[in-house]
Amino acid sequence: MSTLSQDDLKTLVGHAALKYVVPGEIVGVGTGSTVNKFIDALASMKGEIKGAVSSSNASTERLKALGIAVFDSNEVDELSVYIDGADEIDGHGFMIKGGGAALTREKIIAAQSRQFVCIADESKLVETLGKFPLPVEVIPMATQRVIKQFRALGGAAQLRLSNGIPLVTDNGQHIVDVTGLQIADPLAFETAVSQWPGVVTVGVFAHQKAQVCLLGTASGVKTLTF
Ligand code: 5RP
């Protein structure tokens, strides 16, 4: 019996997300390896949509290469749907995001969308958020202070590096990754950390949670609604 690889599951949910795309409209598009599958599938519908608002330079390049028009977030009022992956998602649709460092633009687009459809393989479903290192985008000047604040909460935080130097996001900022947290109350946690000086975006998506999750499982795509 053949088993589906994680990559196969990503392809499955990427295709399944097409049914949430509204013809004639602009679709919100996230970032990551699962979303890349969605973008590739979206090319089959490019004649039916106006285009996309994209959450990263990487997704923008991929969309444009496939001939899909990309709009600036400011040119668009409300989006019907935002389709994006997650690093973790719980039974309420609360997520950890930002493994691909695109969390700030992801949260902006999620906020301007009526529905967040999360696409993920089943390894991403958790009881409590916090096993995946929590990404936090910070103003570089605040990095050490933010690291200390997480230490006081019992977490271990470190600056994300790329090729030995601090990773710089599409917004010119840095990322701190935090381990050792059990985020029992994601709404309260997101509210609190968002107010720390120098924090641009915390990778807990509770106020901008998913309404739907298309979960890739060994027995096919499971639709969870929250
Ligand atoms: C990028 C994200 C991604 O959605 C998240 O990291 C999941 O990525 P992948 O689909 O590659 O597992 O939040 O900032």
Side-chain angles (χ1 to χ4, degrees):
M1 201 181 80
S2 71
T3 52
L4 295 170
S5 68
Q6 194 182 30
D7 196 63
D8 293 332
L9 298 180
K10 291 178 183 189
T11 304
L12 269 185
V13 294
H15 278 83
L18 288 182
K19 80 166 193 241
Y20 290 85
V21 175
V22 184
E25 293 197 7
I26 295 172
V27 57
V29 175
T31 298
S33 57
T34 316
V35 164
N36 283 346
K37 307 288 192 184
F38 167 66
I39 294 174
D40 295 347
L42 189 63
S44 68
M45 280 185 76
K46 70 177 170 193
E48 293 169 61
I49 57 167
K50 265 198 194 157
V53 171
S54 159
S55 67
S56 63
N57 295 343
S59 289
T60 297
E61 271 175 35
R62 198 174 186 100
L63 286 158
K64 285 186 173 168
L66 290 167
I68 299 169
V70 177
F71 292 83
D72 186 281
S73 187
N74 291 301
E75 294 179 88
V76 181
D77 184 17
E78 198 179 51
L79 296 167
S80 302
V81 66
Y82 176 54
I83 295 176
D84 197 0
D87 299 305
E88 287 185 344
I89 181 161
D90 73 9
H92 301 282
F94 298 148
M95 296 166 285
I96 284 185
K97 291 185 45 54
L103 63 165
T104 296
R105 296 185 188 190
E106 292 173 343
K107 211 174 256 193
I108 293 168
I109 305 177
Q112 80 180 117
S113 303
R114 281 200 298 279
Q115 189 179 37
F116 188 136
V117 175
C118 174
I119 50 176
D121 66 83
E122 60 191 341
S123 69
K124 307 288 183 69
L125 187 64
V126 297
E127 285 266 327
T128 306
L129 301 179
K131 203 158 162 219
F132 188 90
L134 171 70
V136 184
E137 185 163 357
V138 297
I139 304 274
M141 178 186 171
T143 302
Q144 289 310 319
R145 187 165 195 281
V146 169
I147 286 175
K148 268 194 218 147
Q149 282 186 277
F150 278 116
R151 212 174 284 145
L153 290 185
Q158 57 179 36
L159 181 62
R160 192 183 298 182
L161 303 180
S162 170
N163 299 321
I165 55 167
L167 177 141
V168 178
T169 68
D170 288 351
N171 312 306
Q173 312 302 340
H174 288 170
I175 299 279
V176 161
D177 291 302
V178 192
T179 52
L181 298 174
Q182 285 273 305
I183 305 171
D185 184 345
L187 283 163
F189 184 92
E190 183 183 14
T191 300
V193 176
S194 298
Q195 291 173 38
W196 294 359
V199 167
V200 177
T201 302
V202 57
V204 169
F205 282 53
H207 294 281
Q208 270 75 47
K209 72 182 193 101
Q211 280 75 44
V212 176
C213 177
L214 302 176
L215 198 69
T217 76
S219 51
V221 178
K222 238 166 118 175
T223 303
L224 313 178
T225 52
F226 312 101

PDB file of all heavy atoms in Angstrom, residues 5 14 20 29 46 56 61 70 78 80 88 110 123 140 147 154 162-163 165 167 169-170 185 195 198 204 217 220:
ATOM      1  N   SER A   5       3.364  11.042   1.212  1.00  0.00           N
ATOM      2  CA  SER A   5       4.432  11.793   1.876  1.00  0.00           C
ATOM      3  C   SER A   5       3.869  13.127   2.361  1.00  0.00           C
ATOM      4  O   SER A   5       2.770  13.529   1.966  1.00  0.00           O
ATOM      5  CB  SER A   5       5.576  12.040   0.890  1.00  0.00           C
ATOM      6  OG  SER A   5       5.117  12.936  -0.119  1.00  0.00           O
ATOM      7  N   GLY A  14      -3.305  22.025  -1.033  1.00  0.00           N
ATOM      8  CA  GLY A  14      -3.126  23.176  -1.939  1.00  0.00           C
ATOM      9  C   GLY A  14      -4.187  23.170  -3.029  1.00  0.00           C
ATOM     10  O   GLY A  14      -4.748  24.205  -3.378  1.00  0.00           O
ATOM     11  N   TYR A  20     -12.272  27.492  -2.410  1.00  0.00           N
ATOM     12  CA  TYR A  20     -12.589  28.677  -1.589  1.00  0.00           C
ATOM     13  C   TYR A  20     -12.289  29.985  -2.324  1.00  0.00           C
ATOM     14  O   TYR A  20     -12.601  31.065  -1.851  1.00  0.00           O
ATOM     15  CB  TYR A  20     -11.812  28.628  -0.270  1.00  0.00           C
ATOM     16  CG  TYR A  20     -12.332  27.534   0.635  1.00  0.00           C
ATOM     17  CD1 TYR A  20     -11.878  26.232   0.506  1.00  0.00           C
ATOM     18  CD2 TYR A  20     -13.320  27.796   1.583  1.00  0.00           C
ATOM     19  CE1 TYR A  20     -12.377  25.217   1.297  1.00  0.00           C
ATOM     20  CE2 TYR A  20     -13.832  26.787   2.390  1.00  0.00           C
ATOM     21  CZ  TYR A  20     -13.357  25.500   2.235  1.00  0.00           C
ATOM     22  OH  TYR A  20     -13.864  24.498   3.021  1.00  0.00           O
ATOM     23  N   VAL A  29      -3.039  35.604  -0.485  1.00  0.00           N
ATOM     24  CA  VAL A  29      -2.145  34.439  -0.605  1.00  0.00           C
ATOM     25  C   VAL A  29      -1.012  34.539   0.418  1.00  0.00           C
ATOM     26  O   VAL A  29      -0.317  35.558   0.501  1.00  0.00           O
ATOM     27  CB  VAL A  29      -1.569  34.359  -2.044  1.00  0.00           C
ATOM     28  CG1 VAL A  29      -0.550  33.232  -2.153  1.00  0.00           C
ATOM     29  CG2 VAL A  29      -2.687  34.138  -3.057  1.00  0.00           C
ATOM     30  N   LYS A  46      -6.252  31.153 -13.237  1.00  0.00           N
ATOM     31  CA  LYS A  46      -5.814  32.557 -13.343  1.00  0.00           C
ATOM     32  C   LYS A  46      -6.715  33.407 -14.221  1.00  0.00           C
ATOM     33  O   LYS A  46      -6.857  34.610 -13.990  1.00  0.00           O
ATOM     34  CB  LYS A  46      -4.353  32.670 -13.727  1.00  0.00           C
ATOM     35  CG  LYS A  46      -4.022  32.271 -15.133  1.00  0.00           C
ATOM     36  CD  LYS A  46      -2.546  32.507 -15.383  1.00  0.00           C
ATOM     37  CE  LYS A  46      -2.138  31.884 -16.691  1.00  0.00           C
ATOM     38  NZ  LYS A  46      -0.731  31.791 -16.891  1.00  0.00           N
ATOM     39  N   SER A  56       4.396  37.925   0.870  1.00  0.00           N
ATOM     40  CA  SER A  56       5.876  37.944   0.882  1.00  0.00           C
ATOM     41  C   SER A  56       6.426  38.182  -0.509  1.00  0.00           C
ATOM     42  O   SER A  56       5.740  37.938  -1.510  1.00  0.00           O
ATOM     43  CB  SER A  56       6.422  36.604   1.396  1.00  0.00           C
ATOM     44  OG  SER A  56       6.045  35.576   0.513  1.00  0.00           O
ATOM     45  N   GLU A  61       6.798  36.750  -6.260  1.00  0.00           N
ATOM     46  CA  GLU A  61       7.577  36.298  -7.424  1.00  0.00           C
ATOM     47  C   GLU A  61       6.950  35.067  -8.062  1.00  0.00           C
ATOM     48  O   GLU A  61       6.843  34.965  -9.282  1.00  0.00           O
ATOM     49  CB  GLU A  61       9.000  35.930  -6.991  1.00  0.00           C
ATOM     50  CG  GLU A  61       9.942  37.105  -7.036  1.00  0.00           C
ATOM     51  CD  GLU A  61      11.315  36.731  -6.485  1.00  0.00           C
ATOM     52  OE1 GLU A  61      11.771  35.591  -6.672  1.00  0.00           O
ATOM     53  OE2 GLU A  61      11.919  37.617  -5.845  1.00  0.00           O
ATOM     54  N   VAL A  70      -0.477  40.761  -9.089  1.00  0.00           N
ATOM     55  CA  VAL A  70      -0.354  40.951  -7.641  1.00  0.00           C
ATOM     56  C   VAL A  70      -0.664  42.405  -7.297  1.00  0.00           C
ATOM     57  O   VAL A  70      -0.084  43.328  -7.875  1.00  0.00           O
ATOM     58  CB  VAL A  70       1.059  40.559  -7.157  1.00  0.00           C
ATOM     59  CG1 VAL A  70       1.196  40.820  -5.659  1.00  0.00           C
ATOM     60  CG2 VAL A  70       1.336  39.087  -7.459  1.00  0.00           C
ATOM     61  N   GLU A  78     -11.619  44.923   1.188  1.00  0.00           N
ATOM     62  CA  GLU A  78     -11.763  43.677   1.937  1.00  0.00           C
ATOM     63  C   GLU A  78     -11.572  42.493   0.984  1.00  0.00           C
ATOM     64  O   GLU A  78     -11.974  42.559  -0.177  1.00  0.00           O
ATOM     65  CB  GLU A  78     -13.167  43.636   2.531  1.00  0.00           C
ATOM     66  CG  GLU A  78     -13.330  42.656   3.644  1.00  0.00           C
ATOM     67  CD  GLU A  78     -14.742  42.668   4.210  1.00  0.00           C
ATOM     68  OE1 GLU A  78     -15.703  42.573   3.431  1.00  0.00           O
ATOM     69  OE2 GLU A  78     -14.863  42.756   5.430  1.00  0.00           O
ATOM     70  N   SER A  80     -12.384  38.386   0.299  1.00  0.00           N
ATOM     71  CA  SER A  80     -13.290  37.314   0.752  1.00  0.00           C
ATOM     72  C   SER A  80     -12.517  36.239   1.495  1.00  0.00           C
ATOM     73  O   SER A  80     -12.993  35.676   2.463  1.00  0.00           O
ATOM     74  CB  SER A  80     -13.969  36.633  -0.432  1.00  0.00           C
ATOM     75  OG  SER A  80     -14.662  37.551  -1.176  1.00  0.00           O
ATOM     76  N   GLU A  88       1.677  25.642  13.422  1.00  0.00           N
ATOM     77  CA  GLU A  88       0.823  24.857  14.325  1.00  0.00           C
ATOM     78  C   GLU A  88      -0.587  25.417  14.248  1.00  0.00           C
ATOM     79  O   GLU A  88      -0.764  26.632  14.077  1.00  0.00           O
ATOM     80  CB  GLU A  88       1.280  24.980  15.790  1.00  0.00           C
ATOM     81  CG  GLU A  88       2.543  24.242  16.123  1.00  0.00           C
ATOM     82  CD  GLU A  88       2.891  24.295  17.613  1.00  0.00           C
ATOM     83  OE1 GLU A  88       2.349  25.140  18.359  1.00  0.00           O
ATOM     84  OE2 GLU A  88       3.734  23.489  18.029  1.00  0.00           O
ATOM     85  N   ALA A 110      -4.523  38.723   6.716  1.00  0.00           N
ATOM     86  CA  ALA A 110      -5.565  37.984   7.454  1.00  0.00           C
ATOM     87  C   ALA A 110      -6.588  38.970   8.025  1.00  0.00           C
ATOM     88  O   ALA A 110      -7.795  38.715   7.996  1.00  0.00           O
ATOM     89  CB  ALA A 110      -4.930  37.160   8.566  1.00  0.00           C
ATOM     90  N   SER A 123       0.574  16.957  10.596  1.00  0.00           N
ATOM     91  CA  SER A 123       1.604  17.121  11.634  1.00  0.00           C
ATOM     92  C   SER A 123       1.466  18.483  12.337  1.00  0.00           C
ATOM     93  O   SER A 123       2.023  18.699  13.413  1.00  0.00           O
ATOM     94  CB  SER A 123       3.002  17.011  11.018  1.00  0.00           C
ATOM     95  OG  SER A 123       3.261  18.136  10.183  1.00  0.00           O
ATOM     96  N   PRO A 140      15.294  45.607  15.276  1.00  0.00           N
ATOM     97  CA  PRO A 140      16.601  45.120  15.746  1.00  0.00           C
ATOM     98  C   PRO A 140      17.068  45.716  17.072  1.00  0.00           C
ATOM     99  O   PRO A 140      17.627  45.007  17.923  1.00  0.00           O
ATOM    100  CB  PRO A 140      17.533  45.490  14.586  1.00  0.00           C
ATOM    101  CG  PRO A 140      16.648  45.413  13.371  1.00  0.00           C
ATOM    102  CD  PRO A 140      15.299  45.910  13.829  1.00  0.00           C
ATOM    103  N   ILE A 147      14.237  39.327  24.112  1.00  0.00           N
ATOM    104  CA  ILE A 147      14.753  38.012  24.529  1.00  0.00           C
ATOM    105  C   ILE A 147      14.659  37.875  26.050  1.00  0.00           C
ATOM    106  O   ILE A 147      14.222  36.857  26.587  1.00  0.00           O
ATOM    107  CB  ILE A 147      16.209  37.812  24.021  1.00  0.00           C
ATOM    108  CG1 ILE A 147      16.176  37.554  22.501  1.00  0.00           C
ATOM    109  CG2 ILE A 147      16.924  36.680  24.752  1.00  0.00           C
ATOM    110  CD1 ILE A 147      17.542  37.456  21.824  1.00  0.00           C
ATOM    111  N   GLY A 154       9.719  32.188  31.079  1.00  0.00           N
ATOM    112  CA  GLY A 154      10.107  30.772  31.089  1.00  0.00           C
ATOM    113  C   GLY A 154      10.505  30.244  29.727  1.00  0.00           C
ATOM    114  O   GLY A 154      10.724  29.042  29.556  1.00  0.00           O
ATOM    115  N   SER A 162      20.591  33.635   9.299  1.00  0.00           N
ATOM    116  CA  SER A 162      20.581  33.059   7.955  1.00  0.00           C
ATOM    117  C   SER A 162      22.003  33.193   7.427  1.00  0.00           C
ATOM    118  O   SER A 162      22.539  34.311   7.375  1.00  0.00           O
ATOM    119  CB  SER A 162      19.590  33.840   7.087  1.00  0.00           C
ATOM    120  OG  SER A 162      19.724  33.467   5.757  1.00  0.00           O
ATOM    121  N   ASN A 163      22.619  32.068   7.088  1.00  0.00           N
ATOM    122  CA  ASN A 163      24.028  32.060   6.664  1.00  0.00           C
ATOM    123  C   ASN A 163      24.919  32.780   7.673  1.00  0.00           C
ATOM    124  O   ASN A 163      25.806  33.552   7.298  1.00  0.00           O
ATOM    125  CB  ASN A 163      24.184  32.702   5.281  1.00  0.00           C
ATOM    126  CG  ASN A 163      23.406  31.937   4.227  1.00  0.00           C
ATOM    127  OD1 ASN A 163      23.360  30.716   4.254  1.00  0.00           O
ATOM    128  ND2 ASN A 163      22.763  32.667   3.318  1.00  0.00           N
ATOM    129  N   ILE A 165      24.381  35.211   9.721  1.00  0.00           N
ATOM    130  CA  ILE A 165      24.092  36.602  10.098  1.00  0.00           C
ATOM    131  C   ILE A 165      22.586  36.740  10.357  1.00  0.00           C
ATOM    132  O   ILE A 165      21.798  35.925   9.878  1.00  0.00           O
ATOM    133  CB  ILE A 165      24.550  37.630   9.024  1.00  0.00           C
ATOM    134  CG1 ILE A 165      23.934  37.282   7.665  1.00  0.00           C
ATOM    135  CG2 ILE A 165      26.057  37.711   8.930  1.00  0.00           C
ATOM    136  CD1 ILE A 165      24.076  38.378   6.648  1.00  0.00           C
ATOM    137  N   LEU A 167      18.867  37.121  10.165  1.00  0.00           N
ATOM    138  CA  LEU A 167      17.941  37.127   9.036  1.00  0.00           C
ATOM    139  C   LEU A 167      17.216  38.480   9.014  1.00  0.00           C
ATOM    140  O   LEU A 167      16.813  38.993  10.063  1.00  0.00           O
ATOM    141  CB  LEU A 167      16.922  35.997   9.206  1.00  0.00           C
ATOM    142  CG  LEU A 167      15.837  35.904   8.141  1.00  0.00           C
ATOM    143  CD1 LEU A 167      15.562  34.454   7.803  1.00  0.00           C
ATOM    144  CD2 LEU A 167      14.547  36.586   8.574  1.00  0.00           C
ATOM    145  N   THR A 169      13.944  40.415   7.532  1.00  0.00           N
ATOM    146  CA  THR A 169      12.639  40.125   6.927  1.00  0.00           C
ATOM    147  C   THR A 169      12.376  41.045   5.726  1.00  0.00           C
ATOM    148  O   THR A 169      13.120  42.005   5.485  1.00  0.00           O
ATOM    149  CB  THR A 169      11.508  40.352   7.946  1.00  0.00           C
ATOM    150  OG1 THR A 169      11.426  41.754   8.230  1.00  0.00           O
ATOM    151  CG2 THR A 169      11.734  39.583   9.232  1.00  0.00           C
ATOM    152  N   ASP A 170      11.273  40.771   5.021  1.00  0.00           N
ATOM    153  CA  ASP A 170      10.876  41.637   3.897  1.00  0.00           C
ATOM    154  C   ASP A 170      10.641  43.067   4.366  1.00  0.00           C
ATOM    155  O   ASP A 170      10.640  44.003   3.566  1.00  0.00           O
ATOM    156  CB  ASP A 170       9.576  41.120   3.258  1.00  0.00           C
ATOM    157  CG  ASP A 170       9.775  39.831   2.453  1.00  0.00           C
ATOM    158  OD1 ASP A 170      10.938  39.423   2.243  1.00  0.00           O
ATOM    159  OD2 ASP A 170       8.761  39.245   2.033  1.00  0.00           O
ATOM    160  N   ASP A 185      -3.437  30.383  26.696  1.00  0.00           N
ATOM    161  CA  ASP A 185      -4.472  31.368  26.343  1.00  0.00           C
ATOM    162  C   ASP A 185      -3.930  32.228  25.188  1.00  0.00           C
ATOM    163  O   ASP A 185      -3.383  33.316  25.405  1.00  0.00           O
ATOM    164  CB  ASP A 185      -4.794  32.238  27.567  1.00  0.00           C
ATOM    165  CG  ASP A 185      -5.936  33.211  27.305  1.00  0.00           C
ATOM    166  OD1 ASP A 185      -6.294  33.428  26.124  1.00  0.00           O
ATOM    167  OD2 ASP A 185      -6.467  33.770  28.289  1.00  0.00           O
ATOM    168  N   GLN A 195       2.139  44.248  22.713  1.00  0.00           N
ATOM    169  CA  GLN A 195       2.352  45.581  23.294  1.00  0.00           C
ATOM    170  C   GLN A 195       3.771  45.827  23.784  1.00  0.00           C
ATOM    171  O   GLN A 195       4.092  46.926  24.219  1.00  0.00           O
ATOM    172  CB  GLN A 195       1.370  45.781  24.455  1.00  0.00           C
ATOM    173  CG  GLN A 195      -0.049  45.905  23.941  1.00  0.00           C
ATOM    174  CD  GLN A 195      -1.074  45.935  25.042  1.00  0.00           C
ATOM    175  OE1 GLN A 195      -0.824  46.529  26.084  1.00  0.00           O
ATOM    176  NE2 GLN A 195      -2.187  45.295  24.829  1.00  0.00           N
ATOM    177  N   GLY A 198       9.045  47.466  20.669  1.00  0.00           N
ATOM    178  CA  GLY A 198       9.968  46.859  19.707  1.00  0.00           C
ATOM    179  C   GLY A 198       9.426  45.610  19.039  1.00  0.00           C
ATOM    180  O   GLY A 198      10.013  45.124  18.072  1.00  0.00           O
ATOM    181  N   VAL A 204       1.696  34.429  17.097  1.00  0.00           N
ATOM    182  CA  VAL A 204       0.436  33.807  17.511  1.00  0.00           C
ATOM    183  C   VAL A 204      -0.681  34.493  16.737  1.00  0.00           C
ATOM    184  O   VAL A 204      -0.794  35.724  16.769  1.00  0.00           O
ATOM    185  CB  VAL A 204       0.213  33.958  19.039  1.00  0.00           C
ATOM    186  CG1 VAL A 204      -1.210  33.552  19.412  1.00  0.00           C
ATOM    187  CG2 VAL A 204       1.222  33.109  19.801  1.00  0.00           C
ATOM    188  N   THR A 217      -4.490  14.502   5.529  1.00  0.00           N
ATOM    189  CA  THR A 217      -4.288  13.304   6.359  1.00  0.00           C
ATOM    190  C   THR A 217      -4.080  12.098   5.440  1.00  0.00           C
ATOM    191  O   THR A 217      -4.369  12.166   4.239  1.00  0.00           O
ATOM    192  CB  THR A 217      -5.508  13.021   7.264  1.00  0.00           C
ATOM    193  OG1 THR A 217      -6.549  12.456   6.455  1.00  0.00           O
ATOM    194  CG2 THR A 217      -6.022  14.281   7.943  1.00  0.00           C
ATOM    195  N   GLY A 220      -6.963  11.411   3.308  1.00  0.00           N
ATOM    196  CA  GLY A 220      -7.487  12.480   2.446  1.00  0.00           C
ATOM    197  C   GLY A 220      -7.575  13.810   3.182  1.00  0.00           C
ATOM    198  O   GLY A 220      -7.029  13.965   4.271  1.00  0.00           O
TER     199      GLY A 220
END
